[in-house]
Amino acid sequence: MDEKSLTQAIGGLIFEAAPERRTEIADLWQNYAPQFSRMSDKDGFAIEAGPWGLILFTPRTMGQIWILGFAAWRALEAYCPYVLLCSEIAPSLMADVPDQAEADAALGEELRKVEELRNIDCVDAFDWPSGIPEPSASLPKAARERAIVDSIKIASAYVFLHEIRHVMFASSAERPVNIKAEELECDGFARGFLLDRIPDYCTATGEAQDAVLNKRLVGLALGGFILLQVTKDRDGSESHPAVAERLRGLTQNEGGDGKSYPWVYACCLLLSVLRREEKLPPRLAFSDPRDLFEKMVLLLQQDCLAAK
């Protein structure tokens, strides 16, 4: 796919994630002329806004997003009962739950494949994980896979919108002086683009606003999960804020129910990470999924501070 076709395809992806933004997407393309292009392959998770409106990324970066979308659903399946039915998390007791070891092993293998793809010398030597379909233009037939692909598309739209905001700042006199502040501004732009005009979409389509909001919040939570998995310095760097701060910004929903589906989904993702890395306390009590999420983000924050 050439640069022009790729740029059109990404515009279509953003439109699919937020159809009510058709006019704004056209305006962005008209006023800032973002140009998406594949950069030469290299290890890591590489996507960056360059000069002259260029947004560069590697195919292996998109592969990581895709596999992480399926791994996130695996985490939801593995940890949803603890988040929904319990009032405390006790890691030592999880091992006694039937099928838990099998679920953890399946999740661990998918995350291992993401790490392998991120670090492999030659992407052509990467063996695609069994059980995960390769990216395709056609929609999967099974409901589970369709839901996963929808979340991946929204998360991908967030990633691209974040970079588009960098392109916008490059031609603006109001660009933040602080690089970290710009990163948070770019997160906020992408989040607002996906959420702010949901009422307009629902008025036009008749879809329930809560359902649409929850779906897009799940996509943003997946975006946070991707950040958590691919960020080397979780406590932040000279150019990027701490991951905990970005997670809070992406998942905030002031008017939302603390027991709603996006909080359950976000909790399962973060719980899978902290348990796999053995960073959970012996017992962690919580009142609802939002409370659990906040406590786990705090644990992540404290772990980063302790590692300094």
Side-chain angles (χ1 to χ4, degrees):
M1 189 180 293
D2 61 25
E3 187 176 287
K4 182 178 179 181
S5 298
L6 186 59
T7 300
Q8 290 174 340
I10 291 171
L13 170 70
I14 295 171
F15 170 74
E16 193 172 349
E20 70 281 2
R21 294 288 197 168
R22 178 192 293 271
T23 301
E24 288 95 327
I25 295 169
D27 288 344
L28 286 173
W29 259 237
Q30 177 67 32
N31 296 329
Y32 298 97
Q35 297 294 316
F36 293 87
S37 182
R38 294 186 177 92
M39 69 171 78
S40 298
D41 185 54
K42 61 180 181 179
D43 63 4
F45 185 90
I47 180 167
E48 58 190 44
W52 307 294
L54 277 173
I55 298 173
L56 306 169
F57 61 91
T58 59
R60 76 166 72 197
T61 294
M62 302 313 298
Q64 290 172 67
I65 291 174
W66 184 268
I67 299 171
L68 282 169
F70 280 83
W73 199 272
R74 182 82 69 180
L76 175 67
E77 293 171 335
Y79 293 101
C80 184
Y82 301 103
V83 176
L84 276 178
L85 304 177
C86 300
S87 59
E88 70 173 17
I89 298 297
S92 62
L93 301 179
M94 288 180 176
D96 297 329
V97 176
D99 301 325
Q100 185 65 49
E102 183 179 351
D104 287 338
L107 173 60
E109 175 59 17
E110 291 176 357
L111 294 176
R112 187 192 68 77
K113 292 298 290 184
V114 173
E115 186 174 354
E116 178 187 337
L117 178 57
R118 186 159 57 251
N119 297 316
I120 197 168
D121 290 335
C122 177
V123 72
D124 292 334
F126 178 72
D127 291 325
W128 196 260
S130 61
I132 295 180
E134 294 192 40
S136 169
S138 59
L139 284 174
K141 294 181 179 179
R144 175 184 182 271
E145 280 70 28
R146 287 201 305 272
I148 295 170
V149 170
D150 281 348
S151 68
I152 292 171
K153 287 179 177 179
I154 295 169
S156 298
Y158 149 70
V159 170
F160 288 126
L161 285 164
H162 176 101
E163 298 303 326
I164 288 172
R165 186 62 174 125
H166 281 303
V167 168
M168 294 166 68
F169 274 132
S171 60
S172 171
E174 300 178 356
R175 187 170 195 169
V177 177
N178 185 292
I179 301 176
K180 292 184 180 181
E182 181 171 328
E183 287 296 323
L184 293 175
E185 288 277 356
C186 292
D187 276 350
F189 170 79
R191 186 180 189 278
F193 199 95
L194 293 168
L195 299 185
D196 288 351
R197 288 191 56 195
I198 286 176
D200 296 341
Y201 173 78
C202 294
T203 298
T205 63
E207 292 190 40
Q209 189 165 317
D210 284 349
V212 176
L213 175 62
N214 285 345
K215 181 177 180 179
R216 296 198 192 174
L217 285 170
V218 162
L220 286 167
L222 174 57
F225 181 65
I226 292 166
L227 286 175
L228 192 58
Q229 293 291 342
V230 305
T231 301
K232 292 181 179 179
D233 300 318
R234 290 180 178 173
D235 58 340
S237 64
E238 291 184 1
S239 60
H240 286 77
V243 172
E245 185 177 3
R246 298 184 71 182
L247 281 174
R248 285 197 179 98
L250 285 175
T251 57
Q252 64 179 316
N253 182 21
E254 295 84 353
D257 181 354
K259 298 179 181 179
S260 65
Y261 175 68
W263 287 117
V264 175
Y265 179 83
C267 277
C268 291
L269 306 191
L270 193 48
L271 178 56
S272 71
V273 172
L274 293 176
R275 180 167 185 253
R276 187 166 182 260
E277 296 177 0
E278 299 182 345
K279 293 174 180 175
L280 288 168
R283 294 187 181 274
L284 181 62
F286 60 96
S287 58
D288 62 23
R290 175 160 47 187
D291 180 49
L292 175 60
F293 180 80
E294 286 295 335
K295 288 178 176 178
M296 288 193 291
V297 170
L298 184 59
L299 284 172
L300 182 65
Q301 211 166 23
Q302 292 170 341
D303 179 69
C304 289
L305 290 172
K308 287 186 175 181

